Amino acid sequence: MSRISGSEELNAYLRRVAGGSALIEAAAETLAEIAATGAKMSDLIGLGQLYGRLGAARGTENSDGDAQKELDVLANEMFVEALRRSPVRAVVSEEMKDVEVLDETAPVVVAMDPLDGSSNIDANVSIGTIFSVLPALAEAASPEAHFRQPGHAQIAAGFVIYGPQTSIVFAIGDGPVEIFTLDRADGRFYHAATAGPIPAQTSEYAVNASNYRHWEPTVRAFVEDCALGADGPMKRNFNMRWVASLVAEAYRILLRGGIFLYPGDNRPGYADGRLRLLYEGAPIAFLIERAGGMATEGVAPLLDVTAGSIHQRTPLVFGSADPTRLAAAYRSDTRGSAERAPLFGGRGLMRE
């Protein structure tokens, strides 16, 4: 079997779009190195336990204090080395506690999650690499200061997803969200699709329902009303999805719509959610909005948020515009809509 001929190769595409801007050119060079390393990662992941226990604990901790898996550490080493070959001034990674300066004269900085979905490594479920490219700031007083920019400042962002196909999904400059898929026969990525526009409506929602008891009432109300389907105020039946892999959820929504919710909750340490703003929330929001969807931190646009620290957490809701906007309305409802006590008769935002 051979792929369909005529598909543009990734490096050719990046050369074509890089002209005229030093920053875009630097971002394009960086994306090329990320893609090349993603192809190597794909080969490694494809070996599974033939390589060894990639999902085994390494005995070390990441920036969040979580146990690092073997593949977490390998991925971080491989991608940091790739960024050393790129015009990148500094890098922030989930697997490193501090900023690592690579080239003090380079024009861009990168924030990345080298291995998203670590719990799925040994389960043969899609995992990925998420990245964000920002301009280096001439006035930055410290390496951390380069990363204190809102999501709107991103020059490029995307992810590599390692699944039945390995694909790199990204937007660069003012361009659309493009999907390039790895042809394993020659180790190169070729154009497969342009994502979007994401349908404004949807019949799918993704949320970790096991956290229900920890959610605030407004979050419960929204999910409950989705679960009621055509019999409830949404007036349509929904299917629930949950892969526990942010790249897999984002990929599905980019292709066919849906809404993803990872709210903050009442557990210690979860008030601001568990996802990281710089290298999870912001790059995914960049792609979703570029493809015609919507992304918030529960209420406000996520791309308006500026990180106060390099590992800052954020709630994240994204996907089809109509339900994402509605989820924000539930979240900001001041009527006590989701108290759900008998006094309120189960009233929700869309119920009277």
Side-chain angles (χ1 to χ4, degrees):
M1 300 285 292
S2 62
R3 60 180 169 79
I4 298 172
S5 62
S7 297
E8 187 172 20
E9 193 268 335
L10 175 62
N11 288 332
Y13 171 86
L14 292 173
R15 287 192 297 270
R16 179 166 61 82
V17 302
S21 167
L23 281 176
I24 299 301
E25 184 174 341
E29 290 181 35
T30 303
L31 261 65
E33 288 290 351
I34 289 172
T37 304
K40 295 175 184 176
M41 279 285 295
S42 180
D43 289 343
L44 178 63
I45 292 166
L47 288 172
Q49 296 195 41
L50 294 176
Y51 180 89
R53 287 295 308 281
L54 292 171
R58 185 73 174 256
T60 53
E61 296 180 345
N62 66 11
S63 62
D64 196 32
D66 295 330
Q68 291 179 310
K69 307 293 180 63
E70 185 72 20
L71 190 57
D72 287 321
V73 178
L74 286 172
N76 189 71
E77 291 172 352
M78 291 170 66
F79 280 103
V80 170
E81 186 59 33
L83 297 179
R84 290 186 191 281
R85 300 189 296 268
S86 309
V88 173
R89 182 172 300 198
V91 58
V92 162
S93 167
E94 183 174 21
E95 304 306 325
M96 305 187 305
K97 289 182 170 60
D98 301 310
V99 178
E100 183 165 343
V101 177
L102 305 180
D103 179 353
E104 293 184 350
T105 66
V108 300
V109 297
V110 171
M112 67 173 180
D113 181 355
L115 205 288
D116 169 67
S118 296
S119 64
N120 291 321
I121 291 171
D122 287 337
N124 204 20
V125 175
S126 295
I127 54 182
T129 299
I130 310 174
F131 58 89
S132 168
V133 184
L134 290 157
L137 301 177
E139 69 278 12
S142 67
E144 292 82 3
H146 294 291
F147 297 93
R148 297 191 187 108
Q149 302 183 61
H152 285 300
Q154 292 174 101
I155 307 163
F159 59 84
V160 184
I161 181 169
Y162 313 105
Q165 310 98 33
T166 292
S167 294
I168 183 168
V169 183
F170 66 91
I172 182 169
D174 295 327
V177 178
E178 302 288 10
I179 301 173
F180 282 72
T181 297
L182 179 66
D183 183 342
R184 292 186 172 96
D186 69 0
R188 298 181 181 182
F189 288 87
Y190 293 88
H191 189 259
T194 299
I198 295 172
Q201 269 294 354
T202 184
S203 295
E204 293 184 331
Y205 67 98
V207 69
N208 186 350
S210 68
N211 293 328
Y212 174 88
R213 68 190 185 280
H214 303 296
W215 294 335
E216 293 187 1
T218 53
V219 177
R220 292 186 190 182
F222 178 80
V223 174
E224 286 173 358
D225 285 347
C226 288
L228 287 171
D231 297 328
M234 304 292 191
K235 305 301 182 186
R236 64 166 60 209
N237 291 321
F238 285 82
N239 288 319
M240 193 188 87
R241 312 290 183 193
W242 184 253
V243 185
S245 169
L246 182 57
V247 295
E249 308 281 9
Y251 193 79
R252 183 185 65 249
I253 288 172
L254 283 166
L255 290 181
R256 71 186 194 203
I259 180 172
F260 170 95
L261 304 97
Y262 202 133
D265 62 44
N266 294 322
R267 289 173 292 172
Y270 280 75
D272 294 320
R274 289 295 288 180
L275 299 176
R276 301 305 183 123
L277 176 60
L278 281 175
Y279 42 80
E280 292 177 313
I284 295 299
F286 185 82
L287 296 178
I288 293 296
E289 294 215 349
R290 185 64 57 87
M294 183 176 178
T296 74
E297 42 72 81
V299 177
L302 191 79
L303 293 179
D304 289 347
V305 180
T306 298
S309 63
I310 60 174
H311 297 297
Q312 179 174 319
R313 297 189 184 98
T314 182
L316 179 60
V317 180
F318 68 82
S320 297
D322 288 354
T324 304
R325 191 175 294 111
L326 182 59
Y330 271 69
R331 187 71 182 81
S332 58
D333 180 23
T334 58
R335 300 180 305 169
S337 65
E339 289 298 329
R340 300 291 183 181
L343 176 64
F344 293 94
R347 188 185 70 185
L349 181 67
M350 299 178 68
R351 304 172 181 200
E352 299 299 337

